[in-house]
Amino acid sequence: MQLSLFEHQESYAHEDYIILTGNKCAHDFIVDNKTWNCLILYGPSGSGKTHLAHIWQKFNGAIFINLNNFVDAVNSSNAFILEDIEKIQNEVLFLHCYNYAKENSKKLLLTSSLAPSALTFKLNDLKSRILSTISVGITLENEELLRLLLIKQLTDRQLQVSSRVINYILTQSERSLSRVRHIVDIIDEKLMYRSTGVTIPFVRSVLNLGDSKNL
């Protein structure tokens, strides 16, 4: 057992990406498809979009940007990543960045928690460009997504947990991404004071803490 004496650091290594039925297409498109210059990667929060973006970053020498630093960064690379485009409010600047990347043959990976058709941009030119952009989605079922998140959170903290314990956590806890994150946080915290590892009785005590609203 390795104790977490410091705040955990999330791993974005390619070998740590967990491929499941609902994300295999997106993974293969990011890793193997070299034909696109602009792509929208969409899927629910916690589904692994940022992990895939980091994998693509390493393959392409890409830079994570925001709208404010795009102009300064544009000459530093030929590949860029702009995340959470559903949160963008400055649509004019976003359109400018999009057009600049397209016109100068820069690669641009965009991520979104919403499918392109569900984005509510008001600028018509921006709408049309987004809808015409190649997109690929992560469509994990709720149970599969929770299992993916749980395994990833435990792995990032270097916690070795059996499949029996993982199944127990999923069957006994509330079905939500935030709840899974809270449970892993408290497991990591409380495990420092125990030597028995992550067992079902230990997890049961953690879940009881949650019932007492101590999570």
Side-chain angles (χ1 to χ4, degrees), residues 83-137:
E83 292 199 280
D84 301 324
I85 62 171
E86 75 280 1
K87 298 178 181 177
I88 290 176
Q89 296 183 344
N90 191 333
E91 297 183 17
V92 173
L93 185 54
F94 181 25
L95 178 62
H96 170 72
C97 293
Y98 181 99
N99 287 340
Y100 186 93
K102 294 279 283 187
E103 292 165 3
N104 290 274
S105 299
K106 304 282 187 178
K107 284 185 171 292
L108 182 61
L109 174 62
L110 307 171
T111 74
S112 171
S113 63
L114 301 174
S117 60
L119 292 168
T120 57
F121 294 124
K122 297 177 181 178
L123 199 62
N124 286 331
D125 284 349
L126 180 59
K127 276 185 182 179
S128 64
R129 281 164 177 74
I130 290 298
L131 290 175
S132 66
T133 299
I134 297 171
S135 63
V136 61

Side-chain angles (χ1 to χ4, degrees), residues 8 146 149-150 153-154 157 159 169 173-174 176-190 202-203 206-207 209-211 213-215:
H8 82 283
L146 287 174
L149 177 67
L150 177 57
Q153 293 278 313
L154 292 166
R157 292 165 171 80
L159 298 175
I169 294 172
S173 62
E174 176 188 324
S176 74
L177 297 176
S178 60
R179 174 67 169 172
V180 167
R181 290 191 182 98
H182 282 309
I183 289 173
V184 175
D185 284 342
I186 201 69
I187 285 174
D188 197 21
E189 176 187 348
K190 299 299 181 183
F202 170 65
V203 171
V206 168
L207 294 178
L209 284 176
D211 292 338
K213 300 183 179 180
N214 290 325
L215 276 178

Side-chain angles (χ1 to χ4, degrees), residues 2 6 16 63 83 118 123 150 152 164 197 207:
Q2 179 162 345
F6 304 99
D16 290 334
I63 297 175
E83 292 199 280
L123 199 62
L150 177 57
K152 183 68 167 60
R164 288 183 65 248
L207 294 178

